[in-house]
Amino acid sequence: MSDKIHLKIITHEKIVLEQDIDELYVQATDGRLGILKNHLPIICALNIGVTKFVDEGKDRQIATMGGILQFENNKATILTDNAELDCDIDVARAIQAKERALA
């Protein structure tokens, strides 16, 4: 039996991430939610925000554009319209998109 949470993040186009992790933190519509191994089953709506996960003591972040989280039997699945890992975000493009949105 694994002592990890199996995380899978899926968009309409692809599986963005699939790996075993130690901790998961999401921005639910009613507040921030943390999930550790053996958490009770849950389904919740997600806001646009940053999803954080921890593996082997290293923090990673992924931008998620809303969606749904389902957690059961130490398997977390996030279905979202769009997701980008922290290492894949083009900062200049993100700033330009923010400026366009504000205009």
Side-chain angles (χ1 to χ4, degrees), residues 9-14 16 46-48 63-68 78-84:
I9 299 176
I10 306 167
T11 67
H12 299 288
E13 300 169 352
K14 63 182 179 178
V16 177
L46 300 177
N47 266 341
I48 295 172
T64 49
M65 301 301 133
I68 296 173
I78 294 176
L79 304 174
T80 182
D81 290 332
N82 193 7
E84 274 189 89

Side-chain angles (χ1 to χ4, degrees), residues 13-46:
E13 300 169 352
K14 63 182 179 178
I15 296 173
V16 177
L17 177 82
E18 185 170 10
Q19 78 177 68
D20 291 337
I21 62 169
D22 297 315
E23 305 169 32
L24 176 64
Y25 301 93
V26 297
Q27 185 62 50
T29 55
D30 57 353
R32 197 90 175 129
L33 173 66
I35 295 178
L36 300 174
K37 185 178 180 251
N38 297 324
H39 192 287
L40 289 173
I42 187 171
I43 295 176
C44 65
L46 300 177

